Amino acid sequence: MSVKIMPPDLAPIPELYVSYESAQKLKAEAGDLVSHDLTPRQICDLELLMNGGFNPLKGFLSEADYTSVVDTMRLADGALWPMPVTLDVSEGFADKVTIGQDIALRDQEGVILATMTVTDKWVPNKAHEAEKVYGADDSAHPAVNYLHNTAGSVYLGGPITGIQQPVHYDFRGRRDTPNELRALFRKLGWRKVVAFQTRNPLHRAHQELTFRAAREAQANLLIHPVVGMTKPGDIDHFTRVRCYEAVLDQYPSATTTMSLLNLAMRMAGPREAVWHGLIRKNHGCTHFIVGRDHAGPGKNSAGQDFYGPYDAQDLFREHQDEMGIEMVDFKQMVYVQDRAQYEPADEIADKDKVTILDISGTELRRRLAEGLEIPEWFSFPQVVAELRKSRPARAKQGFTVFFTGFSGSGKSTIANALMVKLMEIGGRPVTLLDGDIVRKNLSSELGFSKEHRDLNIRRIGYVASEITKNGGIAICAPIAPYATTRRAVREDVEQFGAFIEVHVATSIEECERRDRKGLYKLARAGKIAEFTGISDPYDVPDHPELRLDTENQSVDGCAHQVLLKLESLGLIKG
């Protein structure tokens, strides 16, 4: 009698959940534990820890594992693991926790997802982490910016006891744990599965690329898009999943499936590629497509790419035997007009005799923004229709104009003039969020410490992002002295529409000469602490969309310059 042996990559992998009965008991007991409210990124990490996506991790990394991962891409026991998965908390929270204590981990609604036994507590060297993991301590990298400006200053480590998975109300039928996918592959008899990682909508080149990859590996195809956290400014996952569903019927259903991965990407290039490979291996895949500049974050502060185009493929290749998942290297696909088909760019022998067409990501965004035609050879009409729904042409989108400058520089006066001019044009509701108005209505309880000023600006940014999302125009005119806070507001707004930073570049001497409110006098006399430009710094914007010189120009002229800028960006019709 022959016994069927299950292939090792499809046997169930360990999860960190306890049984339903134990979970009910733990939930009741957890009421007395110190609670940590997880950030969106930590919820993504916790879900993949609990369901085995981050196997062999048993919890958030201990200090020894963290140090080893940062320096050598390996856990302290030598197992390959390229990405620090840490529970970052504030100093205040860390002070309440002692080693050996259990804490409850809750989602943002207060629902308990897991408990964690704290075995380690330490203050990391974040500059070293940035240098080793991301290749540079450069805040132009979204994960380095997150590390320094969003993540807590203390890390906690320890094993996790999973109580329940985070609740997702969207696309529930498309979300699978590693063990659910493994069970599906077993049921379908799929021995070889090639995974395709994406954070962008799929166009025809991707379809051709995935077809070829599956053919080359003689494997079935898993389209495995990330719907956790991607790069700030990416198209939201609701739109992307609708795009994926629109093209799924272009694939043979017998050999293709799609599942959503709730991963918080770090955009860490080569290390991220290895990490993605290990995660896909845990989901039962045997092959993984690694692209050109896989998970690259774009340009660094000097305007160069963070990683070389093939660094990710090289690092993956180096470790693939140990990982137990094989790389299929991604070819750049271009459209050969004469043969009406996509071909790998480096395999076209008659390059000089044929017409090769390609549309870059930047060009696609421009065409969407300006409502221009997107040719059918490039994308599927269904995908373009979905993209146009969520990203209408720029002249119909909401946007935010964000003035920044010293007190008394003329921001509010110009903002008022701009508001009136935009209302005269009509077509979209216009809201002015002036520093003084916001202080009175939204932030009356705040003082003028750095922390409170930041909070005030973040509130302005939040309101502006909501106005932008709903198709209105927000005009903001706070001092906003700190570059990191302005960047955070930009990221909030750019999820939904354009953000135009206008630096009102009036010199401090001129502002002091105008001093309508008598504030500079008081600051010089030491009666106002932390006054921007006198006793507190102002970070001059490096690359604002517009810089205004108010000393040699009328208010009307300044407001008109902003209008011309908006017109040149396609946000208002000429």
Side-chain angles (χ1 to χ4, degrees):
M1 178 183 130
S2 68
V3 180
K4 272 180 98 174
I5 309 274
M6 193 184 290
D9 46 348
L10 293 184
I13 57 167
E15 296 185 348
L16 305 181
Y17 291 110
V18 291
S19 69
Y20 178 76
E21 289 70 26
S22 307
Q24 298 312 103
K25 193 162 157 277
L26 275 173
K27 255 188 201 170
E29 292 165 2
D32 303 328
L33 298 180
V34 171
S35 277
H36 172 65
D37 292 334
L38 298 158
T39 63
R41 172 151 132 181
Q42 291 167 350
I43 292 174
C44 292
D45 286 352
L46 179 66
E47 179 170 351
L48 286 163
L49 280 169
M50 295 192 296
N51 69 21
F54 283 172
N55 184 52
L57 305 191
K58 296 289 177 264
F60 288 101
L61 296 184
S62 66
E63 187 174 5
D65 279 332
Y66 163 81
T67 306
S68 181
V69 165
V70 167
D71 289 334
T72 69
M73 284 197 6
R74 293 182 181 278
L75 299 169
D77 67 7
L80 183 69
W81 189 264
M83 199 57 59
V85 176
T86 49
L87 187 69
D88 57 279
V89 299
S90 67
E91 229 168 294
F93 183 82
D95 290 344
K96 294 193 288 197
V97 177
T98 52
I99 300 296
Q101 182 180 349
D102 283 353
I103 60 172
L105 302 179
R106 297 179 184 273
D107 70 10
Q108 291 173 315
E109 308 276 307
V111 176
I112 180 161
L113 303 178
T115 62
M116 168 174 150
T117 306
V118 180
T119 56
D120 296 71
K121 174 163 83 165
W122 74 100
V123 175
N125 176 344
K126 290 186 174 183
H128 179 70
E129 179 180 334
E131 202 65 59
K132 298 295 278 192
V133 178
Y134 305 109
D137 187 14
D138 178 347
S139 284
H141 192 299
V144 175
N145 181 48
Y146 183 95
L147 187 65
H148 289 307
N149 298 315
T150 305
S153 53
V154 183
Y155 287 177
L156 303 180
I160 290 294
T161 304
I163 292 174
Q164 69 175 66
Q165 52 183 355
V167 181
H168 299 289
Y169 296 109
D170 58 326
F171 307 114
R172 293 177 72 150
R174 292 265 179 222
R175 294 177 183 268
D176 305 283
T177 67
N179 280 330
E180 285 167 347
L181 272 185
R182 285 169 170 243
L184 175 72
F185 299 156
R186 282 201 300 275
K187 186 176 173 183
L188 296 173
W190 288 7
R191 288 281 178 269
K192 283 181 167 183
V193 182
V194 58
F196 177 57
Q197 140 86 29
T198 177
R199 45 174 254 272
N200 292 312
L202 292 183
H203 302 296
R204 291 191 192 269
H206 302 109
Q207 183 199 28
E208 187 55 41
L209 159 89
T210 48
F211 277 162
R212 280 172 179 260
R215 259 206 314 274
E216 201 175 299
Q218 294 183 311
N220 298 284
L221 177 67
L222 170 68
I223 300 174
H224 210 200
V226 169
V227 296
M229 294 171 75
T230 58
K231 190 179 157 191
D234 277 353
I235 290 173
D236 68 279
H237 80 266
F238 300 102
T239 302
R240 288 190 290 113
V241 177
R242 289 198 300 272
C243 289
Y244 303 140
E245 295 195 317
V247 298
L248 259 188
D249 58 4
Q250 308 286 333
Y251 287 88
S253 59
T255 55
T256 307
T257 188
M258 177 172 89
S259 178
L260 309 182
L261 180 65
N262 197 45
L263 173 72
M265 287 181 69
R266 310 313 203 242
M267 309 306 296
R271 278 198 185 218
E272 181 114 7
V274 172
W275 192 40
H276 287 172
L278 290 168
I279 293 166
R280 280 10 187 263
K281 169 80 168 65
N282 286 332
H283 283 77
C285 301
T286 54
H287 293 71
F288 182 56
I289 300 172
V290 179
R292 196 175 170 281
D293 192 25
H294 185 97
K299 307 279 184 211
N300 63 18
S301 296
Q304 260 92 46
D305 287 338
F306 269 95
Y307 311 114
Y310 299 107
D311 290 0
Q313 292 183 357
D314 294 343
L315 193 66
F316 198 103
R317 202 174 282 113
E318 204 180 305
H319 294 289
Q320 68 177 3
D321 292 346
E322 181 181 356
M323 288 157 68
I325 183 167
E326 213 175 301
M327 175 170 84
V328 179
D329 53 1
F330 185 124
K331 312 271 191 287
Q332 191 201 350
M333 306 300 293
V334 291
Y335 187 71
V336 181
Q337 191 176 19
D338 313 57
R339 295 192 274 276
Q341 66 183 20
Y342 275 90
E343 296 176 21
D346 51 4
E347 289 175 23
I348 303 171
D350 51 355
K351 266 195 176 66
D352 312 334
K353 300 182 185 137
V354 294
T355 306
I356 293 172
L357 302 176
D358 196 16
I359 291 182
S360 67
T362 312
E363 172 62 9
L364 172 66
R365 283 191 291 276
R366 185 185 78 85
R367 288 182 182 221
L368 282 169
E370 295 179 19
L372 302 174
E373 188 227 356
I374 291 163
E376 236 182 272
W377 61 260
F378 175 77
S379 194
F380 305 95
Q382 317 84 296
V383 171
V384 175
E386 284 300 340
L387 291 174
R388 289 207 196 278
K389 263 190 244 169
S390 72
R391 286 282 164 109
R394 282 195 114 170
K396 295 194 173 113
Q397 277 179 28
F399 61 88
T400 292
V401 181
F402 192 93
F403 290 93
T404 169
F406 291 123
S407 175
S409 59
K411 300 181 301 298
S412 300
T413 317
I414 300 166
N416 261 304
L418 177 67
M419 176 177 73
V420 173
K421 285 176 183 290
L422 286 168
M423 287 167 91
E424 181 188 350
I425 293 168
R428 281 176 279 202
V430 187
T431 306
L432 175 63
L433 298 167
D434 182 48
D436 294 344
I437 297 170
V438 170
R439 280 270 171 194
K440 191 171 141 200
N441 295 303
L442 274 182
S443 299
S444 57
E445 85 290 10
L446 296 184
F448 288 88
S449 65
K450 175 174 189 331
E451 194 186 344
H452 276 191
R453 288 154 84 186
D454 269 353
L455 185 54
N456 185 48
I457 302 300
R458 292 306 300 264
R459 285 180 185 175
I460 291 173
Y462 170 72
V463 176
S465 73
E466 288 294 309
I467 291 167
T468 301
K469 176 167 84 179
N470 290 295
I473 299 172
I475 303 174
C476 313
I479 294 170
Y482 310 120
T484 47
T485 317
R486 295 196 299 260
R487 172 174 172 162
V489 170
R490 179 184 286 273
E491 286 180 2
D492 288 348
V493 170
E494 283 184 343
Q495 296 174 62
F496 308 115
F499 180 87
I500 295 89
E501 184 176 39
V502 180
H503 177 213
V504 182
T506 315
S507 68
I508 191 85
E509 296 75 24
E510 175 63 18
C511 292
E512 205 162 344
R513 203 180 54 67
R514 295 176 185 174
D515 202 9
R516 274 188 223 141
K517 299 177 187 170
L519 297 175
Y520 284 92
K521 212 174 197 162
L522 292 170
R524 289 274 181 217
K527 290 179 181 163
I528 303 180
E530 299 186 73
F531 190 83
T532 300
I534 304 291
S535 49
D536 202 55
Y538 176 79
D539 301 336
V540 175
D542 287 336
H543 306 289
E545 276 71 11
L546 187 62
R547 228 183 275 280
L548 293 177
D549 166 17
T550 64
E551 289 168 54
N552 306 307
Q553 212 176 163
S554 68
V555 170
D556 193 62
C558 287
H560 193 70
Q561 257 190 281
V562 181
L563 275 188
L564 290 172
K565 184 71 193 174
L566 295 174
E567 200 179 302
S568 75
L569 292 169
L571 291 163
I572 56 175
K573 285 269 198 285

